[in-house]
Amino acid sequence: MSAAAPSATTSQDALARLAAVIESRKPERGGDPQASYVARLLAKGPDAFLKKIGEEATETVMAAKDVDHGGDRASLVGEVADLWFHSMVALAYYGLSPADVIAELERREGTSGIEEKALRKARLREGEQP
């Protein structure tokens, strides 16, 4: 069994701290690609970190499937952490932060996923019409 879940504030603080570290590693802020993995990913551009997001997403799926067959749940947690981390690098590259994602999740709170998806499709259809 895992330890007690951290509070939402603690979790948001951890994400904010990590986001600040990622920001500090941007090449334009002096991040050194020779000394920092994040700086290296950012210097290489979107293809590098987007490829990592794809790899980590696949590894997350594989770890989840392993858990279905008695595999280590900690491996799934580790893979999700890797996926979140690389997603945060993408957010930083595009001038966004975990707070933007949290705000979007809060906006969706209490909305049926089915209804939310139907609303997005309807808005897209309206935008496509002349």
Side-chain angles (χ1 to χ4, degrees):
M1 234 351 128
S2 62
S7 71
T9 300
T10 304
S11 299
Q12 289 178 14
D13 290 347
L15 291 173
R17 286 191 306 275
L18 179 54
V21 169
I22 291 169
E23 275 295 318
S24 75
R25 301 286 165 53
K26 286 183 170 181
E28 63 268 23
R29 295 187 181 220
D32 179 3
Q34 298 300 318
S36 166
Y37 174 69
V38 171
R40 188 174 319 135
L41 279 176
L42 292 169
K44 288 181 178 180
D47 286 348
F49 58 77
L50 295 175
K51 179 180 176 185
K52 285 301 295 180
I53 291 170
E55 290 171 7
E56 298 303 343
T58 299
E59 291 171 6
T60 297
V61 169
M62 292 168 49
K65 296 301 264 177
D66 287 347
V67 171
D68 284 341
H69 300 285
D72 183 14
R73 293 166 24 128
S75 292
L76 175 57
V77 170
E79 293 303 341
V80 170
D82 291 345
L83 178 59
W84 285 15
F85 171 80
H86 288 91
S87 295
M88 288 177 65
V89 170
L91 288 171
Y93 182 87
Y94 294 109
L96 299 165
S97 74
D100 296 306
V101 177
I102 291 167
E104 176 61 13
L105 291 171
E106 288 173 341
R107 184 191 67 76
R108 295 179 185 185
E109 190 174 0
T111 304
S112 158
I114 294 169
E115 291 172 9
E116 199 274 334
K117 185 175 181 180
L119 182 58
R120 276 188 283 139
K121 284 184 177 182
R123 286 180 180 155
L124 181 62
R125 278 193 303 271
E126 289 171 10
E128 292 177 349
Q129 295 176 0

